[in-house]
């Protein structure tokens, strides 16, 4: 089965979702689609959401967060699509983590249960929320969100599980395949803009270890390819980025051929979608991608049952 994961940078924006987003989804012919930073639940029934769903309706069943309580009004929603004829939908989507953690300690979340070839799979779209800037306390909060997600996954038992989305784990430092203790010193904060904040709080290797304790495996595209942090030149041409923050996590399933692709940034350039802004931290102007144009790479991969 082919999986597509994409942070589309809506951030509860009032802008229309760029039409090329649905076109690229259809062109990849993915069986399962997970979009993060989709829209707040307060906009779940808006005309632009209906328009986006309608653009995919011939080929996909579509789902997104719809709860409208005050705690979720500003949350970034998750969108899940399943190709028609590929799987049986097993009930309504679940928007509630089975966890004792407080609402503010939970990530963006949506779960859809499907059946493929007679085998059930729980698809979970997620995004670790960010806030508080580059501080230790902010990264401790991110770790707590991950722990609440894993608490939910443990309660699902020995199911076939796909977790996909944006984990906001900052820069990966050291060998991606190594365990945390092996690479820990790489996170001590040589970068003056990131002093010690990820060393023992929350980072890629800590995240891998937490998932491993629950029997889940993290899959990330290998090598010098990245999902976020793209810089643009004056012609709108992006570099290769610097962060790997979008991942696929599975239980009882294997992942192959994972890769990031950000060619759409240049191919679908629209002048109003990025602009020259002053970076107060770096004290210089940069060309940045603005909402609601996607600022993360598309992550694709082949997923299959272990047996």
């Amino acid at each position: 089965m082919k999986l597509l994961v994409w942070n589309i940078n809506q951030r509860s924006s009032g802008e229309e979702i760029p039409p090329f987003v649905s076109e690229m989804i259809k062109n990849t012919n993915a069986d399962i689609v997970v979009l993060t930073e989709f829209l707040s639940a307060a906009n779940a029934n808006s005309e632009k959401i209906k328009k986006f769903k309608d653009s995919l309706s011939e080929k996909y069943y579509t789902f997104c967060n719809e709860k409208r309580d005050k705690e979720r009004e500003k949350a970034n929603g998750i969108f899940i699509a399943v190709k028609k004829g590929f799987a049986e939908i097993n009930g309504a989507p679940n928007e509630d983590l089975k966890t004792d953690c407080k609402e503010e300690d939970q990530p963006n979340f949506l779960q859809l249960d499907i059946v493929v070839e007679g085998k059930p799979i729980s698809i979970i779209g997620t995004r670790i929320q960010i806030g508080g800037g580059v501080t230790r306390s902010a990264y401790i909060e991110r770790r707590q969100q991950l722990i609440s997600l894993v608490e939910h996954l443990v309660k699902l038992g020995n199911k076939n599980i796909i977790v996909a989305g944006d984990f906001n784990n900052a820069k990966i430092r050291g060998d991606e395949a190594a365990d945390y203790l092996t690479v820990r010193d790489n996170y001590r904060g040589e970068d003056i803009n990131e002093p010690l904040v990820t060393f023992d709080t929350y980072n890629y290797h800590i995240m891998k270890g937490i998932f491993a304790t629950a029997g889940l495996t993290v899959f990330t595209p290998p090598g010098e390819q990245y999902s976020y942090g793209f810089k643009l030149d004056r012609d709108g041409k992006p570099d290769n980025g610097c962060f790997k923050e979008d991942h696929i996590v599975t239980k009882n399933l294997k992942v192959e051929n994972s890769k990031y692709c950000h060619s759409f940034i240049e191919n679908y350039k629209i002048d109003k979608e990025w602009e020259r802004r002053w970076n107060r931290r770096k004290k210089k102007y940069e060309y940045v991608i603005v909402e609601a144009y996607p600022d993360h790479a598309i992550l694709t991969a082949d997923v299959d049952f272990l047996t």
Side-chain angles (χ1 to χ4, degrees):
M1 64 193 88
K2 187 166 187 178
L3 174 64
L4 181 151
V5 186
W6 195 1
N7 179 325
I8 61 169
N9 195 29
Q10 283 291 307
R11 302 188 191 182
S12 305
S13 164
E15 300 292 329
E16 290 287 337
I17 299 172
F20 72 81
V21 172
S22 60
E23 289 303 313
M24 292 201 72
I25 290 171
K26 289 183 285 188
N27 290 342
T28 60
N29 201 32
D31 300 303
I32 300 168
V33 176
V34 176
L35 304 182
T36 60
E37 286 194 22
F38 183 59
L39 278 177
S40 70
N43 293 320
N45 297 316
S46 69
E47 281 301 312
K48 63 180 175 179
I49 294 302
K50 183 178 184 300
K51 181 178 178 181
F52 181 75
K53 286 186 171 183
D54 286 348
S55 70
L56 294 171
S57 62
E58 184 177 347
K59 197 169 186 177
Y60 290 94
Y61 298 113
T62 59
F63 309 87
C64 65
N65 295 92
E66 294 187 0
K67 289 196 173 181
R68 290 171 168 264
D69 54 55
K70 290 184 178 179
E71 287 78 9
R72 290 179 172 86
E73 278 185 357
K74 294 183 179 179
N76 286 287
I78 304 293
F79 174 93
I80 298 176
V82 177
K83 188 164 65 175
K84 292 181 176 179
F86 166 71
E88 175 187 344
I89 308 300
N90 191 8
N94 171 31
E95 300 186 46
D96 298 306
L97 284 166
K98 296 178 181 177
T99 175
D100 296 327
C101 295
K102 296 180 293 186
E103 184 78 30
E104 58 266 29
D105 291 330
Q106 297 179 18
N108 302 147
F109 171 87
L110 185 66
Q111 175 179 330
L112 182 69
D113 292 331
I114 65 173
V115 179
V116 178
E117 299 174 359
K119 300 176 182 179
I121 301 176
S122 290
I123 305 167
I124 294 171
T126 192
R127 173 181 169 271
I128 300 294
Q129 301 186 72
I130 60 175
V134 184
T135 64
R136 280 183 56 80
S137 60
Y139 277 82
I140 290 170
E141 290 174 1
R142 296 186 196 190
R143 177 173 175 156
Q144 183 55 53
Q145 291 179 57
L146 179 69
I147 290 171
S148 70
L149 174 63
V150 171
E151 183 181 326
H152 173 86
L153 299 175
V154 168
K155 290 180 179 179
L156 294 181
N158 193 36
K159 290 186 176 180
N160 302 312
I161 298 173
I162 298 173
V163 185
D166 178 2
F167 292 86
N168 276 311
N169 49 264
K171 280 188 178 181
I172 300 175
R173 302 186 183 277
D175 181 2
E176 292 176 16
D179 61 28
Y180 170 62
L181 290 178
T182 302
V183 301
R184 179 174 57 178
D185 287 345
N186 290 282
Y187 287 99
R188 285 193 179 276
E190 294 179 4
D191 184 348
I192 193 172
N193 295 314
E194 200 176 272
L196 291 176
V197 298
T198 64
F199 169 63
D200 58 356
T201 55
Y202 177 67
N203 59 51
Y204 178 76
H205 290 88
I206 288 175
M207 177 187 75
K208 278 204 316 176
I210 291 173
F211 274 124
T213 62
L216 290 108
T217 304
V218 177
F219 294 92
T220 304
E224 299 296 318
Q225 50 177 325
Y226 301 92
S227 70
Y228 179 65
F230 304 110
K231 295 178 182 177
L232 306 175
D233 64 20
R234 291 176 180 271
D235 295 322
K237 294 181 179 180
D239 64 8
N240 199 36
C242 57
F243 297 96
K244 294 185 179 184
E245 296 194 325
D246 300 85
H247 314 284
I248 299 166
V249 186
T250 67
K251 188 171 188 177
N252 300 326
L253 295 160
K254 60 183 178 180
V255 175
E256 297 176 330
N257 304 320
S258 64
K259 62 181 179 180
Y260 296 124
C261 176
H262 63 272
S263 61
F264 66 88
I265 295 176
E266 185 175 357
N267 293 345
Y268 291 93
K269 183 180 185 302
I270 305 170
D271 288 339
K272 70 174 184 177
E273 305 300 356
W274 42 90
E275 60 187 37
R276 191 169 179 255
R277 289 183 178 178
W278 176 253
N279 186 319
R280 288 181 295 176
R281 181 168 59 84
K282 296 180 180 179
K283 296 181 179 179
K284 67 177 184 179
Y285 282 101
E286 292 180 333
Y287 283 86
V288 298
I289 301 170
V290 300
E291 310 84 351
Y293 191 96
D295 60 350
H296 282 236
I298 299 170
L299 167 57
T300 56
D302 296 319
V303 182
D304 204 353
F305 298 102
L306 290 177
T307 57

